Amino acid sequence: MATARTRLSSDQRRSQLLDLGVRLFSTRSLSEISIDLLAERAGISRGLLYHYFGGLAGFQEAVVRRAADDLIARTAPPESGDAVERLLISMEAYVEYVDTHYEGYLSLITGAKSGNETLRRIYDEGRSALTDRIFTSDTDHLLEDTPAARLLVRGWAALAEEMVLEWKRDETSGTDPGISREELLHLITAALPALSTTL
């Protein structure tokens, strides 16, 4: 007996295309994701992609925003528990995300630094969401919420990002990073409490 095809709503189809775009983004740079590639992988016409996203730039922006939202959701720490333990769990998820989405994540950072205002805005919004949660948790905090502490956390986040990217860059190029993932996580997680003692 033939199975009836399910007709997707416009929102469902758009979401499905974004999911595919995010999967492609995990292993490709943003510039490598084209309308032709997506149309081929999704089995739809180019015109349908223009209908949903208005063109390549609109699609790429939507994919990057979906990927940033996914990163924020995946790295959400537990709502309760020791502050350092929650930070470690969040950073474990962050390292895992960068490890499995390296090309796309690197593409987002490169695009944000290149002067692309849209990518810069999405990147900044994502960074703020990741760092603000250190101060907005309902449980104990590592730091008191002050302008100096927020500046310090933003600096720590930039340090953590660079450390993870450097570690992954070495691994990707076949160079021994010199430290394990567990050692990397320890360095990142221990750095914030250590820096907070300077406040």
Side-chain angles (χ1 to χ4, degrees), residues 25 29-31 102-116 119-120 123 161 165 169:
F25 188 51
S29 69
L30 194 58
S31 62
Y102 177 66
E103 293 299 331
Y105 189 73
L106 188 60
S107 177
L108 168 60
I109 293 170
T110 303
K113 291 179 178 178
S114 72
N116 183 314
L119 292 184
R120 183 75 209 181
Y123 174 80
E161 177 180 85
L165 287 175
R169 191 177 298 122

Side-chain angles (χ1 to χ4, degrees), residues 4-198:
R5 291 182 62 187
T6 302
R7 185 174 180 83
L8 299 177
S9 69
S10 293
D11 287 345
Q12 289 172 323
R13 172 63 77 181
R14 189 176 190 279
S15 182
Q16 184 184 60
L17 293 172
L18 283 176
D19 287 342
L20 175 58
V22 169
R23 286 197 300 274
L24 293 173
F25 188 51
S26 70
T27 57
R28 292 170 170 80
S29 69
L30 194 58
S31 62
E32 293 174 311
I33 301 177
S34 66
I35 292 289
D36 287 335
L37 175 63
L38 190 72
E40 177 187 339
R41 292 294 180 91
I44 60 173
S45 69
R46 289 166 46 100
L48 195 58
L49 286 166
Y50 281 95
H51 168 72
Y52 285 119
F53 302 102
L56 180 59
F59 173 71
Q60 289 178 335
E61 177 182 347
V63 166
V64 170
R65 189 166 292 283
R66 171 69 70 89
D69 290 344
D70 183 40
L71 171 61
I72 292 166
R74 288 189 191 202
T75 57
E79 294 183 3
S80 61
D82 176 75
V84 174
E85 177 73 17
R86 287 185 289 109
L87 179 63
L88 175 60
I89 291 170
S90 183
M91 293 312 298
E92 283 177 332
Y94 173 74
V95 172
E96 176 63 23
Y97 185 90
V98 175
D99 192 24
T100 56
H101 299 79
Y102 177 66
E103 293 299 331
Y105 189 73
L106 188 60
S107 177
L108 168 60
I109 293 170
T110 303
K113 291 179 178 178
S114 72
N116 183 314
E117 290 302 319
T118 299
L119 292 184
R120 183 75 209 181
R121 185 174 63 255
I122 295 171
Y123 174 80
D124 287 344
E125 289 170 3
R127 171 67 69 80
S128 293
L130 294 174
T131 56
D132 286 354
R133 60 172 53 144
I134 290 175
F135 301 102
T136 57
S137 169
D138 290 334
T139 56
D140 64 320
H141 306 289
L142 280 171
L143 299 164
E144 182 182 350
D145 190 353
T146 66
R150 284 188 174 265
L151 182 61
L152 183 130
V153 168
R154 285 196 296 271
W156 167 80
L159 170 69
E161 177 180 85
E162 185 58 33
M163 288 171 68
V164 174
L165 287 175
E166 186 69 25
W167 178 81
K168 181 61 180 177
R169 191 177 298 122
D170 285 346
E171 185 183 69
T172 302
S173 68
T175 303
D176 181 5
I179 64 171
S180 67
R181 179 186 290 214
E182 290 71 25
E183 290 170 322
L184 173 68
L185 279 165
H186 172 73
L187 285 173
I188 294 170
T189 307
L192 184 55
L195 288 169
S196 70
T197 63
T198 63

